[in-house]
Amino acid sequence: TPQRRKIVTLVMPAMLARVSRSKVSCSRRSASLASSRPSVRVYAASSSSPFKPLDARLVLADGSVWKGTAFGARGTATGEVVFNTSLTGYQEILTDPSYAGQFVCFTCPHIGNVGTNTDDEESTNVHLGATIIHELSPMVSNHRNQKDLDTYLKEQNVLGIEGVDTRAITLRLRETGCLNGTISTDDSLSDDELLEMAKSFDIEGKDLISTVTTAEPYEWKDSTDEEWEFAGDGGAQRVKVVAYDFGVKRNILRRLASYGCDITVVPASFPADEVIAMNPDGVFLSNGPGDPSAVPYAVENTKKLVGKYPIFGICMGHQVLGQALGGSTYKLKFGHHGGNHPCKNIIAEGIQQVEITAQNHNFAVDVSAIGGDVMTSHINLNDQSCAGIESAEKRCFGIQYHPEASPGPHDADPAFKKFVDMCRA
């Protein structure tokens, strides 16, 4: 309307004037701020990538290829891939002779954070073929550390691969069973060539304890260090024990010594007649790697000793004892490797006993052919496999798990006292 047009005509010039003055004011303020700011420098992009190089490959026998970052030694290695569920004690696992011929895939995602030291070694060398982890710790924080894991594995000439999906690998192993694999940092080798290496490897039927046993007998005196001791009976009557070294861990020998044993460690093939000539109070059969059916000489020696002395077997020693008593062994789907395996004592009187145990084995004892008074003493509650055997008449027993732990729980430590009490009886 004429009246509205008149109002717009009067108001618009005033509004435009105010906007114009505001723009001038803002322009002056911007110029003032710009003059007070420091000059901006533009730097050239760094030539190094923030991401780790994918310079290592794990090729499994099923054809799957897992790319990651190399640490430790460089080269190519082939072995049987197993997973370990322990949350602590990676150095004890690395130096456990029972892992000879195998690659260990750690389910714990962060490895290397406490470094390494000589006190935690279960043997002089790293015996496994390679280490598979999700992430290598970028720093070490522990007062006992002597060198980081990368340096340690380089010195031991053992390969490592990080940055792979260890959860997916573990699920694959659980579904398909243990798979052989090849790890390589060699770009000249194709995936197909690495696959053929993996397919051609086989741990079944191999005598691996002969590769890790001692060459000569020796005496062992050291018990568990005082700061780590939680049981033991070293002040009581000492007993003489001959320990067959199938790949023995140092902490097993320490626990035996803590309970009062003076130990002579002998090679895996040491003749039974020479053991008898030593007149021991008991015989110990140690843990060790590989297929227990591939070491008939160990079984035959044990047969000659059964009934003459108290005998205690752990892991491989349990499997050797089982065969000496008339049983056989078979391979598990993916084995037992970790520190959280429940085993039930099915012969204990009164209250039912369940031990949470540390385990590391791919084979188990089939007790169906064992007769006499030999009985299954323990079963693994995860798969109902035999976890222990015992004969009161023959004064012998064996357990499939590791009572010394290292790493793992100490529920089964009384097994050492049981053996020593048998030797003193």
Side-chain angles (χ1 to χ4, degrees):
T1 63
Q3 183 66 25
R4 287 181 178 175
R5 283 196 296 270
K6 183 177 179 180
I7 293 173
V8 170
T9 303
L10 293 172
V11 171
M12 286 300 293
M15 292 180 63
L16 292 172
R18 284 198 296 271
V19 170
S20 177
R21 286 194 298 271
S22 177
K23 285 183 177 179
V24 171
S25 177
C26 288
S27 177
R28 287 173 179 170
R29 284 198 299 270
S30 298
S32 175
L33 288 171
S35 63
S36 66
R37 290 186 187 132
S39 58
V40 177
R41 292 185 180 182
V42 178
Y43 294 92
S46 173
S47 59
S48 60
S49 169
F51 303 105
K52 295 179 180 179
L54 299 178
D55 55 357
R57 289 168 291 164
L58 164 65
V59 179
L60 296 177
D62 65 354
S64 59
V65 180
W66 310 77
K67 294 183 178 180
T69 300
F71 70 99
R74 300 300 189 267
T76 302
T78 302
E80 181 182 54
V81 183
V82 300
F83 62 89
N84 188 297
T85 58
S86 295
L87 296 178
T88 61
Y90 58 81
Q91 188 178 4
E92 289 92 330
I93 293 167
L94 293 173
T95 53
D96 182 349
S98 296
Y99 279 113
Q102 295 178 323
F103 296 171
V104 176
C105 174
F106 287 90
T107 60
C108 182
H110 210 216
I111 299 295
N113 54 316
V114 296
T116 64
N117 64 81
T118 54
D119 290 339
D120 289 346
E121 292 179 331
E122 290 297 330
S123 64
T124 305
N125 301 315
V126 174
H127 292 280
L128 54 76
T131 305
I132 305 167
I133 63 176
H134 178 66
E135 182 180 5
L136 179 67
S137 177
M139 64 176 292
V140 175
S141 179
N142 188 275
H143 71 282
R144 299 172 67 238
N145 171 59
Q146 294 173 352
K147 63 186 65 171
D148 63 80
L149 182 58
D150 180 39
T151 301
Y152 183 74
L153 291 183
K154 280 185 171 71
E155 293 176 356
Q156 292 280 343
N157 196 32
V158 173
L159 279 70
I161 182 172
E162 66 159 322
V164 294
D165 190 341
T166 51
R167 181 177 297 180
I169 293 173
T170 298
L171 289 173
R172 187 177 293 253
L173 296 177
R174 282 185 59 88
E175 291 168 0
T176 65
C178 290
L179 290 168
N180 296 329
T182 302
I183 291 179
S184 182
T185 60
D186 188 348
D187 290 337
S188 69
L189 295 173
S190 68
D191 292 345
D192 288 339
E193 289 176 306
L194 298 180
L195 177 60
E196 285 305 311
M197 294 180 190
K199 288 183 175 180
S200 64
F201 182 84
D202 191 0
I203 204 170
E204 290 190 66
K206 284 189 176 180
D207 172 10
L208 293 179
I209 66 176
S210 61
T211 68
V212 298
T213 188
T214 181
E216 298 291 338
Y218 64 92
E219 303 296 318
W220 180 276
K221 299 291 186 183
D222 296 340
S223 59
T224 302
D225 290 343
E226 183 177 354
E227 63 177 319
W228 303 111
E229 184 60 77
F230 56 92
D233 191 22
Q237 173 193 347
R238 307 292 292 181
V239 294
K240 291 171 53 180
V241 170
V242 172
Y244 270 98
D245 177 14
F246 300 148
V248 69
K249 293 171 63 179
R250 289 174 177 170
N251 267 303
I252 289 179
L253 298 177
R254 292 188 184 110
R255 297 311 296 146
L256 287 169
S258 291
Y259 275 102
C261 296
D262 295 326
I263 309 160
T264 301
V265 183
V266 299
S269 59
F270 198 72
D273 292 342
E274 294 190 33
V275 172
I276 295 172
M278 297 167 70
N279 192 31
D281 296 308
V283 175
F284 173 72
L285 309 175
S286 86
N287 62 291
D291 186 346
S293 68
V295 290
Y297 56 88
V299 176
E300 291 304 313
N301 280 327
T302 303
K303 285 181 179 179
K304 296 177 182 179
L305 298 171
V306 167
K308 291 183 172 64
Y309 309 100
I311 297 178
F312 176 28
I314 290 176
C315 203
M316 170 64 79
H318 159 76
Q319 296 161 359
V320 168
L321 178 62
Q323 292 178 89
L325 294 172
S328 60
T329 58
Y330 63 96
K331 191 173 185 182
L332 297 166
K333 182 178 180 181
F334 47 79
H336 301 153
H337 310 275
N340 57 351
H341 292 257
C343 290
K344 181 180 179 180
N345 186 331
I346 60 176
I347 64 172
E349 296 181 0
I351 188 170
Q352 294 186 2
Q353 297 179 10
V354 175
E355 301 167 359
I356 304 302
T357 67
Q359 301 201 12
N360 173 25
H361 60 100
N362 268 17
F363 294 83
V365 174
D366 181 355
V367 297
S368 60
I370 300 180
D373 77 323
V374 181
M375 63 182 72
T376 299
S377 60
H378 296 75
I379 58 170
N380 188 305
L381 293 180
N382 287 335
D383 60 8
Q384 306 301 305
S385 60
C386 174
I389 55 176
E390 184 171 337
S391 169
E393 179 184 335
K394 297 179 176 64
R395 297 185 300 160
C396 62
F397 71 104
I399 52 178
Q400 186 60 79
Y401 44 93
H402 284 256
E404 86 292 346
S406 300
H410 297 144
D411 295 28
D413 188 76
F416 292 109
K417 185 178 188 305
K418 177 178 179 177
F419 171 59
V420 173
D421 287 345
M422 290 171 63
C423 294
R424 289 173 178 157

